[in-house]
Amino acid sequence: MTGFVQIIEYRTSKPDEVRALSEDYRKAREALGDGSVGPGRVMACADRDDPGRYLTIVEFESAEAAKENSDRADTGEFAAKMMELCDGPPTFRNLDLIETM
């Protein structure tokens, strides 16, 4: 099995603004018809045990697909706007998918 997962951990006191930004980004990408170059699945999570801490789990078909997505101008713009809403820098975990059950 091949695949790539990125986990982005961040803190924010503006979760509603982050959610709106993410939704706008998703809709803009869909309007372009560029779904095939983006992630296969995205999960946004709030930490129940640590309020203000959030994780985004993003699945790609490969590390190369993730890199292609990361190199896009619209992804860079989204990331810059996202950083403005975060309370400090995010932490990234880049994972090779071994197995799903």
Side-chain angles (χ1 to χ4, degrees):
M1 173 170 284
T2 61
F4 181 80
V5 176
Q6 186 172 67
I7 300 173
I8 306 154
E9 180 181 336
Y10 60 95
R11 297 193 75 78
T12 185
S13 54
K14 302 174 183 176
D16 293 335
E17 291 177 54
V18 168
R19 194 170 354 211
L21 176 65
S22 297
E23 183 66 12
D24 289 347
Y25 174 67
R26 183 189 62 76
K27 286 180 180 178
R29 181 66 70 89
E30 284 178 359
L32 292 173
D34 286 349
S36 63
V37 295
R41 180 164 72 158
V42 177
M43 293 174 278
C45 307
D47 189 330
R48 289 175 149 235
D49 300 320
D50 188 357
R53 180 176 172 245
Y54 298 86
L55 294 99
T56 301
I57 304 164
V58 188
E59 292 183 32
F60 291 92
E61 66 181 41
S62 66
E64 294 77 21
K67 172 89 169 91
E68 182 180 337
N69 184 69
S70 181
D71 289 344
R72 290 175 54 108
D74 61 343
T75 301
E77 291 169 12
F78 168 77
K81 291 176 183 176
M82 180 77 178
M83 284 302 305
E84 293 174 9
L85 299 174
C86 289
D87 303 334
T91 300
F92 292 85
R93 303 278 187 261
N94 298 303
L95 311 168
D96 290 321
L97 179 61
I98 297 170
E99 181 177 28
T100 59
M101 295 177 230

